[in-house]
Structure formats: structure tokens, C-alpha cells
Amino acid sequence: MKGAPYTVGTDATMVNGFANGYGLLLLGHPLYAVQQRQNAIDVLRIDDAGTKGTAITRITDPENFRVPTTAAVYGDRIYLPNARFDVAEPTPETDYDVVSVERVRA
């Protein structure tokens, strides 16, 4: 993954690789691609034209990620709501939460 080249599609989705990509968060040149079912965030460095990127890292948190869906930034942290698609039949008692991870400086 690290150092792998990617091409950005015209509809703002990733063409190569991101089968479970859902939430995209662009903060300057770093692009965070939330990978729902993989419980991960892939971080890419996007070129100045915004058409190509290189993989920087993958963020995971097995204890707290429960199918994160989108991302928002506040300060030095990225916040992700857990969709809980891992629950076969949600009930009113099913807990939902928001988790945070540190931003990658690239």
C-alpha cells in the first residue's frame, strides 16, 4: 500500500484500489479515504493538479473502528462516526459512537 500510485476519477472517487471507500476528506494535499468494511483510513498525498496520489499510510484502530463511514476534522484530529453495519439487526439499544484519530502531517 505505502508508495502505491493511485489515480483520482472525475467523480472524486478513487479509481484504483478503494473498493470500500466511502468518506473522502481532503486537507490540502493529504486525502483521507475511509474504508468502511476494512475498518481503516487510507491516507494519500495528492499531487498539485489533484489527479494523482501516492499512498502514505493506513490508519486502523481495531478496538474502536466499527465500520466508520465518513470523516470530519477538528484541530489535529479526524472524527469518524461508526455506522455499525457489523450489527445484523440493530435495536434501539444498539450503541453508536464517534471515534477520533490523529491527523497525518504530509
Side-chain angles (χ1 to χ4, degrees):
M1 158 72 192
K2 190 171 183 180
Y6 291 88
T7 303
V8 179
T10 56
D11 61 350
T13 61
M14 300 312 291
V15 176
N16 319 29
F18 300 94
N20 295 307
Y22 186 77
L24 298 176
L25 177 63
L26 182 62
L27 299 173
H29 288 284
L31 173 68
Y32 297 81
V34 180
Q35 303 292 313
Q36 300 180 335
R37 298 287 184 175
Q38 297 173 29
N39 284 316
I41 306 165
D42 288 325
V43 185
L44 306 164
R45 175 145 180 76
I46 300 300
D47 69 1
D48 289 337
T51 58
K52 295 181 182 176
T54 302
I56 298 171
T57 191
R58 172 172 264 211
I59 301 168
T60 60
D61 187 345
E63 292 184 26
N64 294 306
F65 283 3
R66 298 184 297 178
V67 193
T69 56
T70 192
V73 65
Y74 182 77
D76 286 337
R77 303 211 48 95
I78 304 291
Y79 292 85
L80 307 108
N82 280 316
R84 298 306 314 270
F85 295 149
D86 58 328
V87 176
E89 294 188 32
T91 69
E93 290 76 35
T94 302
D95 66 317
Y96 293 87
D97 57 5
V98 174
V99 297
S100 72
V101 295
E102 286 188 46
R103 284 177 61 178
V104 172
R105 299 293 178 181

